[in-house]
Amino acid sequence: MPASPAPGNTAPGETAVEDAARRSLTAGPDARRRAGRPVGGVLDKSGITRAALELVEKKGYDALTMAALARALNVAPSALYNHVKSKRDVLLLVEDHLAALVDLSAFDTEPWEEAVRKWAWSYRDVFSRHTPLIPVIAVLPVTDAPQTLAMYETVSAAFREAGFPEERIVSSIVALESFIFGSAYDVTAPADIFDAGSMADATPSFTAAVQSLAEQGHERPADVAFALGLEALISGLGALRK
Amino acid sequence: MPASPAPGNTAPGETAVEDAARRSLTAGPDARRRAGRPVGGVLDKSGITRAALELVEKKGYDALTMAALARALNVAPSALYNHVKSKRDVLLLVEDHLAALVDLSAFDTEPWEEAVRKWAWSYRDVFSRHTPLIPVIAVLPVTDAPQTLAMYETVSAAFREAGFPEERIVSSIVALESFIFGSAYDVTAPADIFDAGSMADATPSFTAAVQSLAEQGHERPADVAFALGLEALISGLGALRK
DNA sequence: ACCTGAACACCGTTCAAGT
DNA sequence: ACCTGAACACCGTTCAAGT
């Protein structure tokens, strides 16, 4: 029989839920009923983040309740409040984890246009699978999200390097981000969102435009709109450079 | 003593809540406890929309619960479900009401650039005060929102008139809308959203850019970013015209 | 310090019973 | 057709009691 790792130490490649399952197994069937502090401590922010992310990816944001999160971690819901102040805090942890997944590598190697292009597509792709976080990000003081702040540091340095006037850097990034967030929602729209149905006769101009786009046969119409807007922003904002 | 208007007929200039209050007054103190159908019917979709909007404008979206909405209308919460299928339906009614407030007048009188500019600012301003509706709009089949559909009809006709190729009209509008929705969130961000706090030393480039923007002394930084992005989109998308 | 279990003050929604 | 009142299956959060 192999030695059991200490509770709370997830083995590499092991998921948080598997870890919790194994822990309750090795600790005996009534371990989770015993009150008091478990040896080593079962909860921390990174474990909460991992479990939340796993829950969301498996069952979606509707399933991310404090009760379900606690259950995945084999603790009582109230135990979570020793590590986060609120559910919003949990969403914030997830958001900052995702911010680190946005691809910034092109800022080291490519010219400004291409680097912004790759960053923007990656940013949109990451958050299009996590749109319930967008209202959280939009109002999020950067202090509370170190990875997000690190992204801004990289991007703002690249804008300065590319010749943007100092006082326009933040506004340019914000404009791009606003477009990216809005476009992330667009990815989640149903395919028939623009089907006017019985109202088609009353809206001939819009119906014709929708029909014409449909005839193009694009697999992902949201990508067409994103490419169009992004290229317009890149060339329009790029003109600000000295 | 003046003749009382029939219950459910809100007098011009009177609010839905005032109407409900007066109705319970003229009908006697125990009117709202009496079961069965009130004469004339107290509820309909437009009354629900008006009461929801009033509730939201007075106390915000957190206060828009089915219970609070029912209370404003002097009915039991369950009564609402005779007129809407769900709370999402209520949000949809509000959204479509707001869509009619977006200023489309410039499309009749101004050249494309200026008309789009006025439409976009108006659209952003309306929904910046109603950001909780944005996730609803983004996934909203236009069939379910006649006023929203009417807006698309006007805008798409103007894009065709301005020389946009048929198959690019919808994508161009979607790109603009994505930017508008993201920018609506930006309006609600706290003033100190970019204050890196104790992390400032670790992010010199971003901190300098934020500082430089702050020194410009703009009263509403969100407007600067919106203007920058909108002008880039207008000139970039405008280049698609034949 | 950090957990459990019970409790609190809500949610949106359903449905039988009434008129 | 459309209302009431009771009930259901949840929410996020707090807090005394434990170790």
Side-chain angles (χ1 to χ4, degrees), chain A:
Chain A
M1 192 171 180
S4 297
N9 283 342
T10 303
E14 189 180 36
T15 67
V17 165
E18 283 161 356
D19 176 56
R22 174 184 48 69
R23 190 190 323 121
S24 81
L25 215 69
T26 55
D30 57 350
R32 65 208 199 85
R33 259 181 252 156
R34 190 179 51 214
R37 171 156 58 139
V39 271
V42 288
L43 283 185
D44 60 20
K45 285 194 183 188
S46 82
I48 291 172
T49 307
R50 215 180 318 130
L53 208 50
E54 203 179 330
L55 196 52
V56 159
E57 272 162 7
K58 267 189 189 143
K59 310 195 179 177
Y61 276 88
D62 284 352
L64 180 57
T65 66
M66 295 302 270
L69 183 56
R71 200 178 189 292
L73 291 160
N74 260 333
V75 296
S78 51
L80 295 169
Y81 291 87
N82 290 305
H83 304 272
V84 294
K85 286 203 315 290
S86 64
K87 181 174 178 180
R88 191 174 174 280
D89 258 24
V90 175
L91 295 177
L92 217 135
L93 288 170
V94 174
E95 188 279 327
D96 205 44
H97 177 91
L98 294 172
L101 302 181
V102 175
D103 184 12
L104 301 174
S105 63
F107 284 112
D108 295 328
T109 55
E110 312 253 14
W112 180 82
E113 283 92 344
E114 183 60 15
V116 168
R117 192 174 285 122
K118 285 187 172 161
W119 167 67
W121 278 96
S122 170
Y123 200 171
R124 186 204 66 148
D125 286 346
V126 168
F127 283 98
S128 66
R129 276 168 277 128
H130 298 272
T131 53
L133 295 177
I134 291 176
V136 176
I137 314 172
V139 186
L140 175 69
V142 290
T143 324
D144 302 341
Q147 298 295 332
T148 307
L149 182 56
M151 179 180 78
Y152 289 137
E153 175 65 11
T154 298
V155 177
S156 61
F159 274 55
R160 183 179 300 101
E161 188 84 11
F164 275 80
E166 191 72 38
E167 73 281 4
R168 309 266 204 153
I169 292 175
V170 170
S171 299
S172 297
I173 295 172
V174 167
L176 278 160
E177 242 186 340
S178 294
F179 175 67
I180 288 164
F181 291 152
S183 299
Y185 279 119
D186 191 37
V187 172
T188 70
D192 66 340
I193 186 171
F194 289 132
D195 181 2
S198 64
M199 310 281 291
D201 288 350
T203 58
S205 177
F206 182 63
T207 299
V210 170
Q211 176 66 18
S212 173
L213 172 62
E215 279 163 6
Q216 303 284 106
H218 294 111
E219 60 315 340
R220 302 190 63 190
D223 287 357
V224 177
F226 187 67
L228 218 54
L230 181 59
E231 296 308 318
L233 284 168
I234 287 174
S235 73
L237 295 175
L240 298 173
R241 288 180 286 170
K242 293 176 292 204

Side-chain angles (χ1 to χ4, degrees), chain B residues 98-121:
Chain B
L98 294 173
L101 302 182
V102 176
D103 183 12
L104 301 174
S105 63
F107 285 112
D108 294 328
T109 55
E110 312 253 14
W112 180 82
E113 283 92 344
E114 182 59 15
V116 169
R117 193 173 285 122
K118 286 186 173 162
W119 166 68
W121 280 96

Side-chain angles (χ1 to χ4, degrees), chain B residues 37 76 78 82-83:
Chain B
R37 173 157 55 140
S78 52
N82 289 306
H83 304 273

